[in-house]
């Protein structure tokens, strides 16, 4: 897990991961990129068994992950963002699928965002210069593939070119054989590069829509012009490395990056908190209900049932207590009840706060509860 200034999301990630590793011989490694918050102190205090690497500067995603894999002892390595929540069976399921297939490269699950919406970057095609151009400007160029791998249904299992670095599993020996992530990428693009490099070695990358995890996408990154430039700049590094250089396409994409930076930044800054009718707390804890009322100053309904059918027409925020409902059940509910009028927040086991994200392109929210 590479962490950067997401102390609360990291704790939730570690807690859900520990539960999912109960019957697996495994270790958890956190590489912190000089967060300057309470992340490292939290890991030391609450998870002394976790291997913690503290960098004295932000060295970027690729280099930090390589640091973690270098000290890993496992046959398999899972690269996991700190803003991920996993169900109990996911590691066993994904590793079993890898073992079943010959020439396996990387495998990754279906990811949903903090509102339960499918994240299409869970499965992608190789972004050739023309694919990048097509995605950048949203136009069709002949028979150029889509950026996303639409040939595989989101809930099916199938071969794809590219998997997302937020959650991928592969053999550690294979990762080391291809020399890990290319550290020319500071952030973004390194997962595309690794997926394509492994594919060129004759391996097959697999997407498993049967396995699902939450990714509070973008929690570690402010979505601004710098983000946009890094994202599309990474694409430029990728196709300069793997494709024949094309001055015209490179010039057009470079110009497009500047234009899209302005447009997308303007769009992101318009995000506002959604108005809700009330909070629905899935729990049996009356004290927790009172804490939420005291903290949020809004009506809270305590619901012991794990069915949301009678609330389908309501504009509500659903608060999920992981001390009452398992992480697997939480993920199932968010996946099942993805609706425009529902948002979700999760209280990690043994914690006094809720975390979540209403949008996949903006910062998440932490609700620290007031004491009674």
């Amino acid at each position: 897990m590479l962490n950067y200034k997401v102390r609360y999301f990291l704790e939730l990630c570690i807690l859900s991961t520990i539960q999912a590793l109960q019957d697996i011989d495994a270790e958890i490694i956190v590489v912190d990129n000089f967060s300057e918050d309470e992340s490292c102190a939290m890991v030391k205090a609450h998870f002394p068994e976790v291997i913690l690497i503290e960098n004295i500067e932000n060295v970027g995603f690729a280099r930090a992950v390589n640091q973690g894999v270098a000290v890993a002892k496992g046959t398999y390595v899972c690269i996991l963002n700190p803003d991920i929540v996993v169900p109990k069976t996911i590691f066993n399921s994904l590793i079993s699928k890898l073992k079943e297939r010959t020439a396996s490269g990387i495998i990754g699950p279906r990811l949903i965002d903090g509102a339960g919406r499918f994240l299409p970057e869970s499965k992608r095609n190789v972004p050739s210069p023309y694919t990048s151009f097509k995605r950048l400007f949203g136009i069709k160029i002949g028979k150029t593939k889509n950026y996303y791998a639409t040939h595989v249904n989101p809930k099916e299992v199938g071969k794809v070119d590219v998997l997302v670095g937020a959650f991928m599993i592969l053999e550690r020996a294979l990762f080391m054989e291809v020399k890990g992530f290319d550290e020319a990428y500071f952030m973004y693009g390194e997962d595309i590069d690794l997926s394509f490099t492994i594919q060129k070695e004759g391996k097959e990358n697999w997407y498993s829509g049967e396995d699902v995890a939450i990714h509070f996408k973008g929690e570690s990154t402010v979505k601004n012009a710098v983000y946009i430039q890094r994202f599309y700049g990474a694409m430029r590094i990728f196709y300069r490395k793997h494709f024949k250089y094309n001055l015209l396409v490179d010039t057009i994409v470079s110009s497009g990056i500047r234009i899209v930076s302005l447009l997308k930044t303007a769009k992101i800054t318009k995000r506002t908190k959604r108005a809700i009718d009330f909070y629905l707390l899935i729990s049996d804890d009356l004290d927790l209900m009172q804490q939420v009322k005291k903290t949020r100053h809004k009506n809270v309904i305590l619901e012991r049932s794990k069915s949301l059918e009678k609330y389908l027409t309501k504009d509500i925020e659903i608060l999920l207590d992981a001390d009452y409902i398992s992480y697997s059940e939480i993920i199932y509910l968010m996946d099942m009840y993805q609706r425009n009028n529902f948002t979700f927040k999760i209280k990690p086991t043994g914690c006094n706060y809720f975390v979540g994200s209403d949008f996949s392109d903006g910062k998440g929210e932490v609700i620290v509860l007031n004491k009674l």
Side-chain angles (χ1 to χ4, degrees):
M1 302 174 188
L2 168 61
N3 180 68
Y4 183 63
K5 297 183 180 181
V6 288
R7 173 254 186 269
Y8 293 101
F9 287 86
L10 174 64
E11 185 170 20
L12 171 58
C13 182
I14 294 174
L15 286 166
S16 70
T17 299
I18 287 173
Q19 289 195 10
L21 292 174
Q22 285 181 356
D23 60 347
I24 302 175
D25 181 16
E27 60 188 354
I28 298 175
I29 301 168
V30 172
V31 183
D32 185 81
N33 258 349
F34 198 51
S35 292
E36 296 184 293
D37 64 3
E38 298 176 354
S39 294
C40 292
M42 178 274 295
V43 172
K44 292 173 183 177
H46 299 300
F47 307 104
E49 73 278 15
V50 169
I51 299 167
L52 177 64
I53 299 172
E54 298 180 70
N55 287 328
I56 59 173
E57 62 178 326
N58 184 354
V59 299
F61 184 87
R63 182 176 165 188
V65 170
N66 288 346
Q67 285 179 279
V69 177
V71 303
K73 299 182 181 67
T75 301
Y76 295 92
V77 61
C78 176
I79 298 158
L80 196 68
N81 266 31
D83 51 359
I84 295 274
V85 185
V86 298
K88 187 174 182 179
T89 60
I90 197 162
F91 298 125
N92 273 325
S93 178
L94 291 174
I95 291 172
S96 293
K97 287 182 173 72
L98 267 187
K99 289 179 177 179
E100 290 168 1
R101 291 162 172 82
T102 58
S104 290
I106 307 172
I107 193 166
R110 174 164 54 99
L111 297 177
I112 59 175
D113 68 12
R117 295 178 289 256
F118 170 63
L119 290 170
E121 62 268 23
S122 301
K123 50 183 179 69
R124 288 169 286 173
N125 291 311
V126 172
S128 69
Y130 294 104
T131 302
S132 300
F133 182 89
K134 178 180 177 180
R135 181 173 187 246
L136 190 62
F137 292 100
I139 61 176
K140 187 173 182 179
I141 307 174
K143 296 182 179 180
T144 303
K145 284 184 177 181
N146 291 325
Y147 180 77
Y148 301 117
T150 54
H151 65 281
V152 178
N153 185 283
K155 294 188 178 181
E156 293 178 349
V157 177
K159 283 191 288 187
V160 297
D161 293 333
V162 176
L163 294 159
V164 65
F167 193 152
M168 54 169 56
I169 295 178
L170 71 161
E171 290 187 7
R172 181 181 181 275
L174 177 59
F175 187 90
M176 302 303 288
E177 180 184 329
V178 298
K179 298 181 172 53
F181 281 134
D182 186 338
E183 295 179 13
Y185 302 89
F186 182 82
M187 184 177 290
Y188 310 114
E190 62 286 307
D191 51 356
I192 299 172
D193 187 277
L194 181 69
S195 297
F196 189 50
T197 299
I198 285 175
Q199 198 175 55
K200 290 197 297 184
E201 292 293 317
K203 303 293 185 179
E204 295 175 344
N205 297 325
W206 289 87
Y207 162 80
S208 177
E210 297 173 351
D211 302 283
V212 59
I214 300 166
H215 181 201
F216 297 109
K217 184 187 171 189
E219 179 51 34
S220 300
T221 306
V222 177
K223 296 295 194 297
N224 55 19
V226 173
Y227 157 77
I228 300 297
Q229 288 164 2
R230 280 180 178 169
F231 183 83
Y232 288 105
M235 286 187 181
R236 188 191 307 149
I237 293 172
F238 173 77
Y239 68 73
R240 279 182 173 176
K241 176 179 175 180
H242 293 285
F243 293 90
K244 184 177 179 180
Y245 181 69
N246 186 312
L247 178 61
L248 176 60
V249 174
D250 188 64
T251 302
I252 292 173
V253 172
S254 297
S255 300
I257 290 170
R258 291 191 289 271
I259 297 169
V260 175
S261 296
L262 296 173
L263 294 176
K264 292 207 171 188
T265 302
K267 178 182 177 182
I268 290 162
T269 56
K270 293 180 181 179
R271 290 295 195 186
T272 56
K273 179 67 178 173
R274 184 178 64 91
I276 61 172
D277 296 331
F278 57 88
Y279 290 99
L280 182 70
L281 175 61
I282 310 297
S283 179
D284 64 349
D285 190 334
L286 291 171
D287 287 341
L288 179 60
M289 180 182 72
Q290 295 301 324
Q291 281 184 282
V292 175
K293 282 184 177 180
K294 184 176 180 181
T295 303
R296 303 304 276 181
H297 308 291
K298 202 171 188 72
N299 186 35
V300 181
I301 294 177
L302 188 69
E303 179 60 75
R304 291 179 174 85
S305 169
K306 297 168 187 176
S307 171
L308 304 178
E309 294 298 321
K310 63 183 177 182
Y311 300 102
L312 294 181
T313 61
K314 304 295 184 181
D315 288 309
I316 57 175
E317 181 146 291
I318 300 160
L319 305 177
L320 300 154
D321 176 11
D323 284 312
Y324 176 73
I325 180 173
S326 71
Y327 292 114
S328 297
E329 291 171 317
I330 286 171
I331 293 167
Y332 173 81
L333 283 179
M334 291 176 62
D335 187 30
M336 174 67 67
Y337 291 103
Q338 183 271 308
R339 304 174 65 84
N340 291 333
N341 55 317
F342 284 2
T343 51
F344 302 89
K345 300 291 181 292
I346 301 171
K347 187 188 80 64
T349 47
C351 296
N352 70 328
Y353 60 86
F354 288 87
V355 296
S357 179
D358 298 347
F359 312 108
S360 61
D361 60 355
K363 293 286 285 182
E365 182 181 9
V366 179
I367 304 171
V368 180
L369 297 173
N370 295 327
K371 295 181 180 178
L372 293 177

